[in-house]
Amino acid sequence: MADLVKGATILPLAFVAAVRGDEEQDFRRACIESLTRGEALDFMIDTVKAVAEQTGRLAQTKSA
């Protein structure tokens, strides 16, 4: 999950920061702002929760 977020959000920001010559602190701030705006943590939690619930339902169906 984290690799997907890294690939979609962090890497593009890293390239932009490198081109602009941003300081590390500015890059970190941009990452935090982007992840917050995109509600990345909420998305990851909701996705893991949905997969767990679906897997649980499938396991119950197979054991019945």
Side-chain angles (χ1 to χ4, degrees):
M1 184 70 66
D3 285 341
L4 293 174
V5 172
K6 181 175 70 175
T9 304
I10 304 303
L11 288 177
L13 288 173
F15 286 112
V16 170
V19 168
R20 291 191 308 214
D22 289 354
E23 296 290 326
E24 183 177 349
Q25 188 65 29
D26 295 326
F27 169 65
R28 288 177 181 270
R29 188 176 302 115
C31 290
I32 291 168
E33 288 174 9
S34 181
L35 293 170
T36 301
R37 253 186 284 115
E39 299 180 352
L41 185 58
D42 291 338
F43 171 76
M44 288 188 283
I45 290 170
D46 291 345
T47 301
V48 169
K49 188 169 136 181
V51 169
E53 289 172 349
Q54 183 179 13
T55 302
R57 284 193 298 273
L58 287 172
Q60 287 178 346
T61 302
K62 288 184 179 186
S63 67

